[in-house]
Amino acid sequence: MAANNPNSKEKKSVMQSVLLCCKLHISESRNREALESIQRAAKHDPETVIVNIFEDREYNRINYTLVSYVIHDATTGSPIYCPLQQTVVAIAAAAYDGINLELHSGAHPRLGVVDDITVHPLARASLDEAAWLAKRLAAEFGNRFQVPVYLYNDAHPTGKALDTIRRELGYYRPNLRGIQWAGWPHMESLPVKPDEGPDVVSRARGITMIGARAWVAMYNVPIMSTDVSAARRIAARVSARGGGLPAVQTLGLLHGEGTTEIACILLEPNQIGADHVQNRVEMLAAQEDLDVEKGYFTDFSPEMILETYMKLINAS
């Protein structure tokens, strides 16, 4: 179709205008064979740009940040094509082939092999366009891979939040010694009907969350202690849910032999940023006589992602 194959001048204009960013969180970072297969799949389409890859062996989790353009129908203006869709599906196929959730363990919660997919608008894209792609991905995952899919935020009919769905599904409850997640979680049936896919779960694949939302930042603060209970107390008092910082969600997790972490999602990073979180964690940790290291982001800012994308497509 002509809409999917613009000439080079038109195509370059499209590739630099309406852009979507897709973040994939996959439950694996130790199986090199599986990761190499996923990496090959991530290069499935040269018009999808891999902007960042973040691996965490302790959490046994890898995050991909991908960017590509959106093509619209010339008559209606509706989105009709984005290379991200086929790239994400190719990555998922490789992940499901190479990873068995029943054999997985890690210090980070998860409910699926392809645990979470978030679509963010970039450049002149809108949340409506991000939601369009999220819904297309959800339908394909449900039909092709036969995994239950839960939509969230702007992709959900009522805007249901990701953390609300996760809480309903038991995402935050460790199932091994109170500090680790291993194998398929203990639930035997799904307490909430999925938006796409079957009502039964493959223990090898689990379920997938797919959503669209405005930009959020992931910021983790290391604490020099293995006291998970202390980390959880601090995390609770940092989060909005616990009466702490507005628009901040947190988890207190074990992270390696000598540290724990306060893993944070900053829902409004331009309002409540990393410096606010860092200061609050340091203050609360001092009350527990614990040392804190400087935190780190697990991904680039939207501005850095856009800049990296532009450099890579212009170079190619």
Side-chain angles (χ1 to χ4, degrees), residues 132-277:
W132 163 81
L133 179 58
K135 292 172 187 176
R136 286 175 69 96
L137 287 169
E140 189 153 5
F141 269 63
N143 293 326
R144 175 170 175 171
F145 300 122
Q146 286 296 294
V147 295
V149 179
Y150 292 88
L151 294 167
Y152 63 86
N153 282 68
D154 288 82
H156 188 274
T158 65
K160 196 171 184 179
L162 174 61
D163 65 314
T164 299
I165 302 169
R166 283 176 163 174
R167 210 162 266 114
E168 291 172 343
L169 296 174
Y171 177 88
Y172 299 106
R173 294 195 295 269
N175 63 353
L176 180 65
R177 299 192 303 277
I179 57 172
Q180 293 272 337
W181 284 257
W184 169 249
H186 46 261
M187 73 177 87
E188 293 300 325
S189 60
L190 293 174
V192 181
K193 182 177 176 59
D195 297 290
E196 296 283 356
D199 292 335
V200 294
V201 186
S202 159
R203 290 173 174 263
R205 294 186 172 187
I207 64 180
T208 296
M209 310 285 186
I210 302 180
R213 69 194 324 180
W215 198 266
V216 300
M218 309 290 185
Y219 185 74
N220 298 343
V221 184
I223 296 179
M224 308 311 292
S225 167
T226 57
D227 187 344
V228 178
S229 296
R232 289 176 177 166
R233 286 194 297 272
I234 293 169
R237 295 176 64 190
V238 171
S239 72
R241 184 178 173 84
L245 297 171
V248 174
Q249 298 173 349
T250 61
L251 282 171
L253 303 171
L254 187 68
H255 194 257
E257 294 184 0
T259 63
T260 48
E261 263 191 357
I262 310 301
C264 306
I265 301 178
L266 313 183
L267 300 178
E268 297 178 10
N270 292 330
Q271 302 298 321
I272 305 295
D275 53 341
H276 296 89
V277 171

Side-chain angles (χ1 to χ4, degrees), residues 23-25 61 114-118 152 162 166 209-210:
K23 295 188 178 185
L24 282 81
H25 301 263
R61 192 172 175 86
V114 182
D115 194 55
D116 180 30
I117 299 173
T118 310
Y152 63 86
L162 174 61
R166 283 176 163 174
M209 310 285 186
I210 302 180

Side-chain angles (χ1 to χ4, degrees), residues 59-71:
Y59 288 160
N60 203 4
R61 192 172 175 86
I62 187 168
N63 305 340
Y64 282 85
T65 303
L66 310 170
V67 177
S68 197
Y69 59 86
V70 180
I71 290 178

